[in-house]
Amino acid sequence: LAVWLFAKPVVLTANTIPTGFSVQGVAVNQTSGYVDYSNLASNGVDYVYLRATTGTSFVDDSYESSYDRARSAQLKVGSIQVYDANVDASTQAQYFIDNVGNRVGQLPIAFYVTDNQIDTQASIDRLASLIQILKTHYNRSTVIYTTPSVKNKLKSTISDTKYWLIDTSTTNKSNANQFIQYSEDHTIGSGLKAIKMPTSVFNGTEKEFEDIK
C-alpha cells in the first residue's frame, strides 16, 4: 500500500472531514514538493506529520524548513521515522536524534512500519526497542503508522503504543487508533491552490487534541 505520494495540484473543492471527527491533518515528505502550510491551515488542516528519517539511510533535507514554516502557520507538527529492520535500534534512534534534534514536534513521534519490516520476532523486538529509546529520550508519546494487518502482528508484543491506522474506513474508533489515514489523496483547498495529500483524522475531541503530546 503506497503512502508517500506526490502532492498533486487539482482544480477542485473538497474540504470535507469524515462524519464524527473534528480534527484532521496531512502527511508530508520530500516528494511532496513545496507545500503552502498557510493554505493548509486556512482549509481545515490542524496538523502535519513530516517524514524525517528512514533507518540510517535517508534524511529529508527539507525537514527543518518544512517544520519552521508549518509552525509559522500555527499548525501542530509531528515527525515520522521510517523503520528499517536491518538497522539496530540504538543506531537508528541516534540517527533520528542527530538529524531531528529538538524539532521533534508537538505530537507523538510516528514510526512508519511496513509488513516486510516485521517478518521475524527479532525485527518486532527491534522496533519495540527503537520506540522505547526515542520515547524516553524525548519524553514524548509515540504512535505506529501502519496498516491493520501490521497492527495485528505487532499488538501482542507492543501493547502500550497507539496506532495511526491506514484504513479507508473510519469506523474503527478503538482507543488504540489515535489517528486514521482515510485517504491517500484527499483534496485540500480549492481552485489553483487545491492540492491532494494523504489525509488523516485525529480519533478524539478537539480538547484531547490540544492536550496531546
Side-chain angles (χ1 to χ4, degrees), residues 196-208:
K196 290 193 172 207
M197 305 190 79
T199 307
S200 303
V201 288
F202 171 69
N203 183 24
T205 65
E206 291 182 46
K207 178 61 168 59
E208 288 169 334

Side-chain angles (χ1 to χ4, degrees), residues 48-67:
V48 295
Y49 262 97
L50 306 174
R51 177 178 174 180
T53 58
T54 298
T56 58
S57 63
F58 173 84
V59 59
D60 188 334
D61 56 17
S62 65
Y63 179 86
E64 184 175 325
S65 171
S66 295
Y67 183 97

Side-chain angles (χ1 to χ4, degrees), residues 143-144 151 154-155 161-165 176-179:
V143 64
I144 298 173
K151 176 185 175 182
L154 294 176
K155 62 184 182 181
T161 300
K162 292 191 176 184
Y163 287 84
W164 174 1
L165 212 59
N177 300 330
Q178 193 167 30
F179 301 93

